[in-house]
Amino acid sequence: MMKSRSDEEEYWNASKFKAFTFDDEDDDLRESKSAFESLAQLPDEDERDHVEEVSWSGEPVGSISRSVRETAASGRRTEGEAAFPARVDADLAKVNSGYSLSSLFKGRRGASVATLADVSGDRSGRTVAPEIRRPKSEKEDLVGDWSPQDAVNRMRQGKPVPLERFRCLQDKLRLLDRSVDAQDGNVITAVLIFLKKSLSKEVLFGELASRPTALRHLFAYLSESGDDALLADLYRALGRVEDAAVTRSHATTKYTLLHYKEHLSITDEKKKRDFLKSCLSLQFSPEDQVQLQDQVSLLERQMLIEATDRQAELGGKAEIFQKFPRRASILHMPLVTTLYYCCFYHYGQPEVRSARPRSSRVRGKVPTCRSCAGPQGSFSSPQNLRNSFKISEKQFFVTALSARAKQKSWRDVDALFAGRSWLGFTRKKSPLAFQVVVDILHRNSAPVHVLQEYVGLVDDADARMALAHKHKCHDLVINTYRDFKDRRLLLGYRGKVEAGSAAERKIDELLDGSQIRWKN
Amino acid sequence: MAYSGRKDSPELPDFSLLKRLARDQLVYLLEQLPGKKDLFIEADLMSPLDRIANVSILKQHDVDKLYKVEYKPIISTSDQLCFLIRPRIKTVKWISDVVNADKAGGKFRKYKIIFTPQKFYACETVLEEQGVFGNVSMDEWGFHLLPLDDDIISLELSEFFRDNYLAGDLRWVRTAGSALHLLHSIYGPFSKVYGIGRCSKMAYESWKEQAKEEEQKPRNSEIGNVFLIDRDVDFVTPMCSQVVYEGLVDDIFRIKCGCVEFGTDVSSSDKSIKVMLNSQDKVFNEIRNEHFSNVFSFLSQKARNLQVAYDKRRGMDIKQMKTFVSEELKGLKQEHRLLSLHISASESIMKKKTKQDFQELLKTEHSLLEGFEIRECISFIEEHINRQVSMTESLRLLCLLSLTENGLLPKDYRSLKTQYLQSYGVEHLLTFANLKQSGLLVEQQQGETLTVMESKVGKLVNDKTAGKLTDAFSSLARKNNFRALSRKLNLVPKSDDEYDLRLPRDMAYVFSGAYIPLSCKIIEQVLERDGWTGLEEVTKLLNGNEFAVTGKNGANNEAQRIVVVMFLGGCTYSEISALRFLGRERGYKFIVVATAIASSSRLLEALLGNHV
């Protein structure tokens, strides 16, 4: 532990902060826990009841969220059941605040049009009441003649404006420009909706090309209302505007992505594949084009893997599926997940199958895409996957390591590190720092003897010791102290190993022996 | 924490008034539809509604049953339906469907939509298009401000961020202006308004416009100063891991509307529990602003004190015992429970953070902020992606890299993007497009180095000058000049001295002493200088749009030191803690008004493109 502390301190000092570690064995935490635990032992029989009494939750009885849940649960409850006061105590709530309610609503009741329409067929006096109170001037306004600016001003206050009176293009555009000047998105959108209805697409889109703010509002409105068709038209039209090439590419990208986005709502894999294929003809950037191509290839491959593996699983012949039943289908998963799957279930499979497939004949199409090239059966080989999709060495390594460790195939794990120096020695090589390797192995609950080997390969001495302590790699710790001839540390460590264990015996032997000249 | 700062901070205004106002308005609106009615509430309005009203108030005003809006056919048998919703097209479409289904089924009902905080024309258009305009009455419930705590007020508008900074839709500008207007008419008049950012400027102008419509009676002001700030002025801060208790709790458990739901691992029972986190919770109130490393020692000290208090009853006689039980015991038990809860929460935080090697993560973030060992940082991020660690977490690191480095080198951008798509799915092409558009994750343009900055400054002010179609697509991605800003404002403290987190000396403590949140630093500087004078270079680097306006009415001294900081696009708990610290140091009281509480995951989730 000491070493580990010093290691951490080195970092914290180096970056000038007080050592503060998120370590499981934090002393402070242990202290506060134990302090707390001693508290819990207080003789307090009625504890439980009190716990219930004090309202902990953000939802006391009578909370709205809870009540909604109850409505949902009870479904159609009979009317009479509701145990709520029938008496309406309206006054009570009204006098609560000293502020006059009517002042708060001044000019903010935008309901006028709706209520007017409502009133005609409604005899209830109360709904009409607010309308009666409407100032006369407002009614007069309805026949008034407004400039675009006046109209915008009224709209900002939530008052109705018959926009139909703005019929010539200049007026319409002035109306739009004034609304943009007013910086009120609600009004800008309102004007745009009006323009959309009263202008042809060509004219509207053409005028918008020089009005970025308005254009953004139209994008937002169309996408919120789900009018993808018109949005696509708009992007296409903008892509044609003679402006700079940058603009064209922006608009094209937008159009492309809008179209591409549709695939998210397709769940059927065949339909999705076909759709994605159709996207290939869109104008993606060269890099994105590659990504899309990969997405198509991957889905095709997943379909093949899924078909074969499901059959194997149902047939009950492949032992691996019995031992580790598949939890979900591999369809639509990301590439790395697919790689993991293949490393898990098909690790040994050669990249190219030389012999003809024996029993597991693949149904369906013979793979044609570039990623599925090669003889049948090789499509689920991790190596094949790696080469087809240009997976980086590091990525492949990380994924294979996790998958093999999960299966506890320590031999496979070991083999991943095989590297031969020119002298013919085998040395463990890794594209990952060995700390990370240890972490991955530990997460997959590797046993100490496996961990120990990799902990020993950690370059940094302090980090190595910290990990050895953390993962209880006794031999490593003991040997290090022995090499340092540090009797005191070794003695200290004796207290940390289990009594009667081999490690304890080893320490005792070292301490009792006389070969070592201890430095302390 | 040692309260080394000034102790004479002024009292905060009473914001419970805002809740009463909102409740009264709602009651008034419900009464506009007399008689029994069923109420449908939009899902994300339920918690805010819960904070200001409860079922019995609704029942008193003839609300019969309550439903959550679920976009499904309804089962209500009531002949009056009331919908309490946000002005969203999707919701209004659903209501239109309900009305049309009733029409088709020959059912006759009355419908009322209450939009909050305001109605949009786009929603009315939906009603019109669906042929139900006129069948439905509409109202607006100006529920703009929800006090979450003594010093936090939220607009609870999570879509503000995406609408404003991704889509460039200005529809919430007026809403922000109205919120300001409401504060002003109850707690004003303000004597000084400062701001920075495009949206801030517009919100300010919108408020002025609205204030013009009404005259204000002279009154004793309770809030002296207001500071408006756009979220995109500082994207760096919300992308950093939070290490102050309240921020950590938010990052890990997600505080929703001032309330957190702790899972079974914390509640130590088989049910999860919901807990309100605010200044009423005495234990929480003392640790919320603490760096996490101090929390344990504080809690154990607290536990020991509690033990002593319990022990007092030993050797008491009957009478003393009676007083003890009636006066002290309840408080002690309450504290006991709170303590138990926060200890379990801390434990759970520890467990989660050790699992993902938090230390290395923080080290990487600090290096990025410092601009140090960038290659190492990139390979750390790469490893994160390769190991398929959380999707948003990897994205957050990528954004932090881009924000601090003014964009990624094309080579790195391509390689990291490819790896990201391989790990989390190619459909994130859409996410990358969104991040690019909002300026959070961009590729450095070839040849665009120092000179371009100048030409970009001031370009975005308004449409009249720009008028380029390109802007419609890309102007939202602002040039980020973090490195230069960091140097100018000293955001990253000198690395050679030690930082004692128990005795913080500046706001950097909220990030372990590694970084002073840019947003808070700007606020500090402007308040100190009473304006932007001397900060010209900084404002230039921040893309301009700064302002400082003096009001007519000078507020009294006390109110002068009450500062409302309005974050347009959201504010993190770390920033709130930093401002509280600044307030203690300088004798201010800050009130944070946020369009929503922000965190890296909330902001990034708003920009994910992998959902339909």
Side-chain angles (χ1 to χ4, degrees):
Chain A
M1 206 61 224
M2 279 172 69
K3 284 278 179 179
S4 85
R5 271 285 150 83
S6 74
D7 170 41
E8 276 150 9
E9 253 151 37
E10 201 169 278
Y11 155 62
W12 289 103
N13 289 338
S15 40
K16 87 244 168 214
F17 320 117
K18 267 242 148 141
F20 137 59
T21 58
F22 282 92
D23 192 326
D24 263 337
E25 297 173 324
D26 191 282
D27 293 337
D28 279 336
L29 175 60
R30 214 187 306 144
E31 201 183 323
S32 63
K33 252 192 91 178
S34 66
F36 182 75
E37 268 155 17
S38 70
L39 268 180
Q41 289 159 12
L42 285 165
D44 235 347
E45 290 81 10
D46 55 352
E47 183 76 309
R48 279 291 127 202
D49 309 322
H50 281 271
V51 173
E52 299 309 320
E53 252 177 46
V54 178
S55 166
W56 263 115
S57 82
E59 296 178 12
V61 188
S63 113
I64 288 156
S65 327
R66 181 193 286 196
S67 166
V68 168
R69 233 175 290 132
E70 279 166 6
T71 339
S74 63
R76 274 173 246 208
R77 221 180 342 173
T78 44
E79 292 290 300
E81 220 180 286
F84 293 97
R87 191 171 62 94
V88 182
D89 212 346
D91 291 337
L92 186 96
K94 267 195 174 166
V95 281
N96 263 346
S97 127
Y99 289 80
S100 128
L101 283 170
S102 58
S103 77
L104 282 160
F105 292 98
K106 208 162 75 186
R108 307 242 44 203
R109 292 183 37 79
S112 18
V113 177
T115 17
L116 270 176
D118 233 15
V119 165
S120 51
D122 191 337
R123 261 172 255 151
S124 145
R126 288 195 67 171
T127 334
V128 189
E131 294 305 319
I132 296 169
R133 273 189 267 116
R134 279 157 57 94
K136 268 198 182 138
S137 62
E138 234 175 78
K139 290 214 169 107
E140 277 162 15
D141 282 348
L142 287 172
V143 284
D145 195 11
W146 302 307
S147 67
Q149 186 64 59
D150 295 338
V152 166
N153 287 346
R154 283 184 61 87
M155 288 166 81
R156 288 171 75 187
Q157 290 157 18
K159 293 178 189 160
V161 180
L163 292 174
E164 298 72 39
R165 67 179 62 235
F166 297 96
R167 300 192 72 166
C168 72
L169 181 61
Q170 262 63 35
D171 281 351
K172 287 181 202 285
L173 294 176
R174 236 171 283 153
L175 190 64
L176 183 61
D177 291 339
R178 292 296 84 75
S179 73
V180 170
D181 291 344
Q183 304 175 339
D184 185 333
N186 180 31
V187 178
I188 300 174
T189 307
V191 173
L192 283 168
I193 292 171
F194 164 63
L195 296 190
K196 188 187 119 192
K197 281 179 191 153
S198 63
L199 285 175
S200 80
K201 273 193 282 192
E202 290 72 24
V203 176
L204 175 63
F205 294 172
E207 293 296 341
L208 286 179
S210 57
R211 293 175 169 81
T213 301
L215 194 50
R216 276 197 292 263
H217 282 77
L218 188 58
F219 290 159
Y221 169 68
L222 292 177
S223 90
E224 198 197 342
S225 51
D227 195 346
D228 285 358
L230 191 58
L231 195 53
D233 283 349
L234 177 53
Y235 288 143
R236 259 199 307 255
L238 294 172
R240 283 195 297 267
V241 173
E242 20 49 70
D243 209 304
V246 192
T247 310
R248 244 190 338 265
S249 87
H250 272 306
T252 316
T253 311
K254 278 275 183 184
Y255 172 73
T256 306
L257 291 177
L258 175 73
H259 188 74
Y260 170 73
K261 192 176 176 165
E262 272 178 55
H263 87 272
L264 292 173
S265 51
I266 306 175
T267 45
D268 179 79
E269 64 270 16
K270 288 196 196 78
K271 283 191 188 130
K272 191 175 204 156
R273 178 199 55 200
D274 295 342
F275 182 84
L276 287 172
K277 269 189 177 165
S278 78
C279 288
L280 281 169
S281 60
L282 298 170
Q283 287 174 294
F284 278 98
S285 70
E287 301 98 64
D288 289 356
Q289 181 85 21
V290 174
Q291 298 295 344
L292 181 66
Q293 177 66 60
D294 276 357
Q295 192 177 12
V296 174
S297 314
L298 181 65
L299 184 56
E300 289 187 322
R301 190 182 281 247
Q302 286 170 341
M303 286 159 70
L304 291 169
I305 297 176
E306 183 63 24
T308 323
D309 287 4
R310 198 191 303 128
Q311 223 175 23
E313 194 180 26
L314 291 175
K317 278 186 190 130
E319 192 193 340
I320 184 109
F321 294 118
Q322 311 282 284
K323 221 166 128 194
F324 304 98
R326 303 189 313 151
R327 268 177 297 171
S329 137
I330 193 62
L331 292 172
H332 313 298
M333 293 295 159
L335 177 61
V336 171
T337 312
T338 313
L339 178 64
Y340 183 90
Y341 176 96
C342 291
C343 286
F344 195 88
Y345 288 112
H346 304 284
Y347 194 64
Q349 218 171 77
E351 186 180 355
V352 177
R353 196 170 270 193
S354 42
R356 247 188 226 152
R358 282 158 302 181
S359 56
S360 63
R361 286 206 47 158
V362 185
R363 296 255 178 88
K365 279 191 243 171
V366 174
T368 47
C369 63
R370 75 176 167 94
S371 316
C372 302
Q376 283 179 347
S378 61
F379 52 78
S380 46
S381 143
Q383 282 300 341
N384 185 304
L385 205 62
R386 173 187 183 172
N387 293 336
S388 309
F389 290 93
K390 300 201 177 60
I391 295 171
S392 75
E393 189 200 355
K394 199 166 162 185
Q395 177 68 71
F396 183 81
F397 188 88
V398 170
T399 311
L401 181 64
S402 320
R404 298 326 289 164
K406 183 89 193 165
Q407 280 216 355
K408 316 227 171 298
S409 314
W410 308 121
R411 231 177 334 140
D412 289 343
V413 167
D414 199 50
L416 275 169
F417 294 88
R420 204 170 283 274
S421 76
W422 58 278
L423 286 173
F425 296 117
T426 51
R427 259 187 76 227
K428 284 204 184 322
K429 268 175 49 183
S430 160
L432 275 185
F434 278 100
Q435 280 101 314
V436 183
V437 171
V438 170
D439 185 49
I440 292 176
L441 293 174
H442 174 65
R443 267 161 214 265
N444 288 294
S445 30
V448 173
H449 74 268
V450 175
L451 279 177
Q452 181 149 299
E453 197 177 343
Y454 297 93
V455 170
L457 291 167
V458 171
D459 273 336
D460 181 79
D462 293 337
R464 186 165 62 232
M465 278 312 268
L467 284 172
H469 272 99
K470 185 176 166 197
H471 298 303
K472 301 196 166 55
C473 306
H474 298 315
D475 281 348
L476 249 166
V477 179
I478 295 166
N479 293 344
T480 310
Y481 290 154
R482 182 198 61 202
D483 297 346
F484 283 151
K485 305 191 172 30
D486 199 326
R487 201 174 62 95
R488 203 174 291 161
L489 283 180
L490 194 56
L491 205 56
Y493 195 68
R494 192 180 179 276
K496 291 191 182 158
V497 303
E498 304 85 49
S501 65
E504 195 190 49
R505 275 200 302 283
K506 185 170 170 185
I507 294 175
D508 288 342
E509 274 167 34
L510 284 170
L511 290 173
D512 292 343
S514 52
Q515 301 97 310
I516 303 167
R517 185 183 293 228
W518 300 106
K519 72 174 181 189
N520 53 19
Chain B
M1 186 181 299
Y3 291 88
S4 56
R6 300 172 53 162
K7 296 206 170 64
D8 57 342
S9 301
E11 284 296 302
L12 286 167
D14 174 20
F15 291 120
S16 61
L17 187 61
L18 292 170
K19 292 190 185 181
R20 278 218 309 275
L21 264 177
R23 188 173 53 222
D24 291 353
Q25 275 193 43
L26 178 63
V27 164
Y28 175 83
L29 292 172
L30 287 174
E31 284 176 357
Q32 300 302 301
L33 188 66
K36 279 223 176 299
K37 60 217 157 230
D38 281 358
L39 182 64
F40 290 79
I41 306 168
E42 188 123 53
D44 53 351
L45 275 176
M46 296 210 310
S47 297
L49 189 57
D50 245 335
R51 300 292 172 272
I52 60 150
N54 56 34
V55 173
S56 62
I57 288 181
L58 297 180
K59 297 284 175 186
Q60 275 168 24
H61 299 280
D62 276 346
V63 170
D64 190 12
K65 292 203 190 78
L66 290 166
Y67 297 93
K68 184 163 86 176
V69 169
E70 287 178 306
Y71 307 105
K72 288 190 293 209
I74 59 161
I75 48 164
S76 163
T77 52
S78 173
D79 58 359
Q80 298 202 93
L81 305 181
C82 189
F83 302 89
L84 186 56
I85 61 166
R86 290 272 185 228
R88 293 179 187 137
I89 289 179
K90 185 184 180 197
T91 319
V92 179
K93 258 191 187 146
W94 168 74
I95 295 172
S96 308
D97 290 346
V98 168
V99 177
N100 278 326
D102 282 354
K103 275 187 185 173
K107 247 186 223 150
F108 209 76
R109 307 197 228 224
K110 270 193 173 175
Y111 311 91
K112 181 182 199 66
I113 302 180
I114 300 174
F115 291 101
T116 187
Q118 68 171 108
K119 179 180 65 171
F120 286 144
Y121 285 100
C123 297
E124 289 178 280
T125 306
V126 173
L127 295 176
E128 191 179 340
E129 282 170 355
Q130 301 298 318
V132 297
F133 196 95
N135 301 101
V136 181
S137 66
M138 288 177 276
D139 254 314
E140 284 181 328
W141 178 31
F143 180 27
H144 287 104
L145 297 168
L146 172 67
L148 293 178
D149 205 344
D150 302 341
D151 60 350
I152 310 175
I153 301 176
S154 170
L155 276 72
E156 291 295 306
L157 286 175
S158 52
E159 57 249 75
F160 189 101
F161 174 71
R162 190 183 157 106
D163 284 345
N164 203 64
Y165 300 105
L166 178 66
D169 187 324
L170 305 179
R171 57 183 175 180
W172 299 114
V173 168
R174 188 183 168 90
T175 316
S178 307
L180 207 53
H181 181 46
L182 182 59
L183 277 180
H184 182 257
S185 44
I186 301 178
Y187 305 100
F190 311 142
S191 46
K192 200 97 193 206
V193 181
Y194 312 97
I196 182 148
R198 216 174 103 130
C199 188
S200 294
K201 208 168 188 175
M202 292 189 285
Y204 168 77
E205 281 159 10
S206 171
W207 161 54
K208 284 313 263 184
E209 186 71 31
Q210 293 176 53
K212 226 169 39 188
E213 292 162 20
E214 297 160 29
E215 77 252 48
Q216 180 148 22
K217 287 178 212 113
R219 212 188 19 227
N220 234 357
S221 129
E222 292 179 78
I223 294 173
N225 297 309
V226 175
F227 198 111
L228 300 167
I229 183 166
D230 278 29
R231 185 67 276 175
D232 71 350
V233 164
D234 175 12
F235 271 149
V236 172
T237 304
M239 290 300 135
C240 297
S241 288
Q242 308 199 64
V243 283
V244 163
Y245 187 68
E246 191 165 11
L248 256 176
V249 170
D250 189 36
D251 268 357
I252 292 181
F253 303 101
R254 284 224 182 184
I255 301 174
K256 195 176 140 204
C257 218
C259 174
V260 72
E261 182 162 5
F262 285 127
T264 47
D265 56 330
V266 175
S267 68
S268 53
S269 70
D270 52 354
K271 268 189 297 189
S272 62
I273 44 167
K274 284 193 174 174
V275 188
M276 293 297 294
L277 292 180
N278 53 38
S279 56
Q280 303 297 308
D281 177 337
K282 292 286 175 283
V283 175
F284 176 69
N285 198 36
E286 285 186 77
I287 54 174
R288 67 196 304 185
N289 300 312
E290 291 288 328
H291 189 273
F292 194 61
S293 59
N294 296 341
V295 169
F296 301 123
S297 53
F298 176 86
L299 290 176
S300 54
Q301 182 58 45
K302 199 92 184 154
R304 278 192 295 273
N305 293 350
L306 193 59
Q307 180 72 68
V308 171
Y310 270 129
D311 285 348
K312 263 202 327 203
R313 65 188 160 165
R314 299 227 172 94
M316 280 183 181
D317 61 28
I318 291 286
K319 201 173 163 209
Q320 286 167 320
M321 187 65 100
K322 214 173 146 190
T323 347
F324 176 80
V325 169
S326 64
E327 283 168 14
E328 276 178 70
L329 195 59
K330 199 178 169 202
L332 291 177
K333 283 193 173 174
Q334 166 91 353
E335 197 174 322
H336 188 158
R337 271 187 299 272
L338 291 170
L339 207 50
S340 131
L341 191 79
H342 289 294
I343 288 175
S344 316
S346 304
E347 263 190 299
S348 169
I349 290 172
M350 282 291 276
K351 233 181 252 160
K352 287 188 181 110
K353 289 299 183 189
T354 7
K355 221 178 179 180
Q356 50 156 289
D357 208 354
F358 201 41
Q359 199 104 312
E360 279 296 309
L361 188 75
L362 290 179
K363 191 174 149 188
T364 302
E365 286 178 22
H366 295 166
S367 298
L368 286 174
L369 291 165
E370 221 174 330
F372 181 63
E373 297 187 325
I374 299 301
R375 292 316 319 169
E376 279 81 348
C377 295
I378 291 179
S379 69
F380 179 84
I381 299 172
E382 227 168 41
E383 222 164 85
H384 232 70
I385 296 172
N386 291 161
R387 294 178 68 179
Q388 292 185 303
V389 187
S390 126
M391 184 170 83
T392 39
E393 189 87 351
S394 298
L395 219 45
R396 177 173 73 81
L397 290 170
L398 286 174
C399 292
L400 194 60
L401 173 68
S402 168
L403 291 166
T404 51
E405 289 288 295
N406 286 352
L408 274 61
L409 294 173
K411 176 175 67 79
D412 292 333
Y413 182 80
R414 243 158 263 168
S415 143
L416 288 165
K417 180 174 165 186
T418 302
Q419 296 184 61
Y420 192 92
L421 299 180
Q422 290 185 342
S423 265
Y424 305 105
V426 179
E427 63 273 19
H428 282 290
L429 276 174
L430 297 160
T431 306
F432 277 80
N434 286 347
L435 291 170
K436 192 170 174 185
Q437 188 168 333
S438 56
L440 276 163
L441 177 52
V442 297
E443 187 180 348
Q444 277 174 18
Q445 295 302 310
Q446 235 62 29
E448 183 195 39
T449 44
L450 290 168
T451 48
V452 180
M453 197 213 83
E454 277 119 330
S455 71
K456 275 214 172 171
V457 169
K459 182 182 166 191
L460 310 161
V461 186
N462 59 33
D463 294 312
K464 275 169 276 175
T465 52
K468 272 269 174 64
L469 173 54
T470 318
D471 286 6
F473 297 107
S474 56
S475 70
L476 291 167
R478 312 299 235 22
K479 185 80 185 155
N480 193 290
N481 302 298
F482 180 75
R483 204 64 73 208
L485 281 166
S486 167
R487 265 195 307 274
K488 284 249 146 45
L489 291 169
N490 256 326
L491 299 180
V492 176
K494 297 232 163 41
S495 45
D496 36 3
D497 22 318
E498 195 147 290
Y499 201 101
D500 187 353
L501 291 167
R502 277 162 217 266
L503 291 166
R505 56 165 184 258
D506 55 24
M507 294 186 282
Y509 94 92
V510 301
F511 292 115
S512 310
Y515 162 65
I516 299 174
L518 172 60
S519 53
C520 304
K521 186 71 180 184
I522 297 171
I523 294 164
E524 177 208 274
Q525 289 295 310
V526 171
L527 288 178
E528 200 173 287
R529 292 157 198 265
D530 189 19
W532 296 94
T533 338
L535 293 169
E536 290 78 10
E537 284 183 66
V538 172
T539 54
K540 212 165 159 189
L541 291 166
L542 291 171
N543 301 302
N545 283 315
E546 78 281 6
F547 58 93
V549 191
T550 312
K552 281 183 212 130
N553 308 333
N556 63 28
N557 274 342
E558 281 294 281
Q560 278 306 334
R561 288 192 280 127
I562 305 261
V563 186
V564 160
V565 180
M566 186 167 185
F567 282 86
L568 296 153
C571 168
T572 64
Y573 280 114
S574 293
E575 288 167 307
I576 298 177
S577 290
L579 287 176
R580 285 181 183 137
F581 175 85
L582 185 66
R584 281 194 302 272
E585 290 280 298
R586 307 281 165 90
Y588 289 117
K589 269 278 189 288
F590 286 100
I591 298 150
V592 170
V593 177
T595 50
I597 295 293
S599 67
S600 57
S601 29
R602 287 193 197 97
L603 296 188
L604 291 172
E605 277 161 22
L607 300 178
L608 285 181
N610 67 333
H611 43 73
V612 186

